[in-house]
Each structure stands twice: as structure tokens, then as C-alpha cells.
Amino acid sequence: MSLAAPTELVELTGGNGVMLASPVPADVAAVGYVERELAAAGTATAYRAAGELTADGRWAFEPAGTAPYRTRVVVRRPATAERFSGTAVVEWLNVSSGHDADVVWASNHEEITRRGHAWVGVSAQLIGVAGGPVLASPVEGADAPGLVGTDPERYGSLVHPGDGFAFDVFTQTARSVRDGTLLGGLTPRLVLAAGQSQSAYAMVTYVNGVEPLVRGLFDGYLLHSRGLGALNLAAPGEPAGLHALTATSPALVREDTGTPVLIVQAEGDLNQVLHSLGSRQDDLERVRTWEVAGAAHADQHTVGPFADLLGCGVDVNDAPMHVVVKAALRALETWARDGTPPAASPRIETAGGEIVRDRDGIALGGIRTPPVDVPVDVLSGVPGPNPSVICQLFGSTTALPAARVAELHPSRAHYLARYTAAVDRLVADGFALAEDREALLAYAQPDRIS
């Protein structure tokens, strides 16, 4: 096993500045943070499977060649050492839109910055760096230019050898986090890996095949919205594909992992585009799953002001999934630090591969956020009429009829009492943080009660 790390870390300057496809612009200075963007260069190793990639995730990888790389890394950290918590979150940036997106940061930036964690975003995949086909776009069949094509003045020196090398690029970056090189001399006690959606597919591959080779590099893994399978080991020069057999075949997270893995799934992940229900697994000593009823794979918080531009034919999902994800990050941190496992999540009820719903169309079971538990809308992973991939991911928000709202909530005082109790219950159960209580209360809609 190689113990390589980047041999060169150089500040990126010029051009149009830091490029990330994020609905939550990072105003890091306002919270006492600094941001740096660097080119990380070295020689990466690709892997091949030594044996079958079985559904139980007990995979064995072996080296399959090396190639030079020069990718992009974004670092956000406390401006002073005194504020650093000792925890670093390393995110595999998501390329499903054709551009690197810091989705884990977008969900967790309040938790990361109030705790004093460092965050590192890694341009691990080929499409984010050099461009290629877009998986989720309002324009079907679109290609993206990547960092190099979008801003050659800033990123023209970047070179990516293909997604088969992405796992070692991620590993090498994490080594530079672990030893403090990337964090300006801040040396973390905990290093957590994280990825959402396509990047969560990558985390499944990483835990099942790479983690046994680098054991101890990461202290925990956060898999947000994984799919049925895992990211494939692409050929040199090629991007990984979510239509590949590895991605479309069931793959559990291996039960013998030595490192805590927390999987957080939205209702919409189970049987829409990602079909993760086929890889649902029981909680294990070091593998836990949270399932969030009424939540979609992506939502209003994910896309921000662009929600109305998607043209999905319905209001996209507006569940507070991000609040649960923040609690998951805290739970993973605690688990990695002192061995206390996360709260056990109830599972969303299913029958015959379909989600069981109440008379209003709201999913039964699962983690129930207050707008789901005390509804005036039907929050669902079920999408609107537009069949595009991106709209299939965004679920829906459908107003309950006024008569039904009146039946459920005879007065505003009754509604607010029930809603507040649901907030406090979610916090007490460990699926929301006390610091996010006000954020949850802000989702209440007492004006909908006549």
C-alpha cells in the first residue's frame, strides 16, 4: 500500500476566484474563518478489484497503475488556532451538476463553523476538473466544461487522470489534512470523510475497498443520500458512471468496517432515482442508518433561489433535511471521539417495495421533522410531473386543502403547541440539535390556520 501524499501544494490565484456550484455562498470571514484554494499535485494509484464485488461489500482492491494528477482543494478553517475544535471534515465534492458542489458544506456550514471545525473540499473526480457529461441538469445530455474549461486562467494547470485514481487522490489529500499541512499547521484529532449523492456512492466504494488499505486515516464516514450501489473503478482517462454495473447493483456497507459509518437517507432516496431501498441494511456495531420521512434527495435548501427555475411542475420539497444532517454530523463526531453511537432511527414503512403513506400521502415511520409530524403541506420524495432527472430528485411540497388543515388544527394555538412539542421531541430524540431549535421553529406556518 502506498503512503503517498501530494508532493506539491500551491495557492491558486487569478481568474474569477474560487469556483464552487453552491446555493450557500461561503462568507467565511463573517464567522471568523479563512478560505484558501490550492492545487494539489502528486502521483495517484488506481485500483482494481481482486475478486468479485459482492453485495455484502467485503471487497478487496489491489493497485492497478499510477498516473500524475494536479487537482483543486478548497480549505475553510478557523482564522485562529484557539477556535479550532480539532475536527476536520473532508468532503468529496459532488459533480452531478457538471461542476464541483460543496453539498455537505451547504447542509452543515452552521454546525461546522459554530463548532470550529475545519472543512476541506476535494475535487476528486474527472468531470469537476476537466468537464464532461452532466448527470443532473435541466438540459438533458448537456456537457460541462469543468474547472479547466470555465476559468483556464485560474485552473488551466489542473490535470486529472480519470476516476479510477479519484480514491487515492482523496486519500492523499486526507493525509495532508491529518498532518496539518493543508490546515495551516492546525493538526486535527479527528478526520471525518463525507459525501452526498454521487459522492456518497464514492464513499461506499471507499469504505468497502479502500478503507481496509488505509485503516486509521479517517475516524468516521458520513454518507448522505447514498444510492443502490457504489461508484465504479473507472478506466484511465474515464469518468465513473452511475449507469455502470457497480452503481446499479445492490451493495451494502461492509459489516466488518473498523470505522464508524453513519448513513443519512431521505425518503426520496429509497425508491426514486437512487433506489437505495435495495441496499437498506440493519444497524450494526459500526454502521448506522437514519431515514427521514417527507424529505427528498434534494430540496429548497439545496438549490436555494434557483428552485423556481427548475420547471418541475410542482413546488419542490421544503423539508428541513439539512437540520437532521447537522445532527448526524454531530452524532458521527461524538461516535468517533468517544464511542457513543448515534440514536437509533425508526425506518420508513414500506410494503412490496413501496413507501406506506397515510391518508394525506405522507410517509409513515422514519425520522419525522415537525413539518411532517404537524403538517399543513404534504412533504414528499414523490416528484412532480417533469420527468427530468433533476426534477425526479427534488420531490414535492403540496398544500393540504384548507378543510383538511382546519380538521387537523382547530386553532393556531393548537397548531403551534403541537408543532413546538414536535420540535422539542426531535431534539430530545437526538435527530436535531438544540442549536437548531429556532431554525426548526421557523418552518412553522401558523398563518395557514384560519
Side-chain angles (χ1 to χ4, degrees), residues 21 94-99 127 132-145 197-198 242-243 273 297-298 303 306 309-312 386-394:
N94 181 289
V95 299
S96 294
S97 68
H99 303 281
I127 288 173
V134 178
L135 180 66
S137 168
V139 181
E140 300 293 340
D143 281 352
S197 190
Q198 184 172 172
L242 296 189
H243 299 296
V273 176
H297 180 75
V303 76
F306 302 105
L309 303 179
L310 296 177
C312 294
N386 189 325
S388 71
V389 171
I390 194 167
C391 285
Q392 294 296 300
L393 296 173
F394 273 84

Side-chain angles (χ1 to χ4, degrees), residues 342-393:
S345 165
R347 298 304 172 92
I348 293 171
E349 293 185 26
T350 61
E354 297 297 324
I355 293 170
V356 180
R357 301 181 183 279
D358 66 14
R359 60 176 280 194
D360 296 313
I362 298 171
L364 298 177
I367 295 169
R368 308 186 70 75
T369 60
V372 170
D373 216 24
V374 188
V376 293
D377 296 316
V378 177
L379 295 173
S380 175
V382 176
N386 189 325
S388 71
V389 171
I390 194 167
C391 285
Q392 294 296 300
L393 296 173

Side-chain angles (χ1 to χ4, degrees), residues 15-26:
N16 299 316
V18 178
M19 179 184 169
L20 280 169
S22 175
V24 184

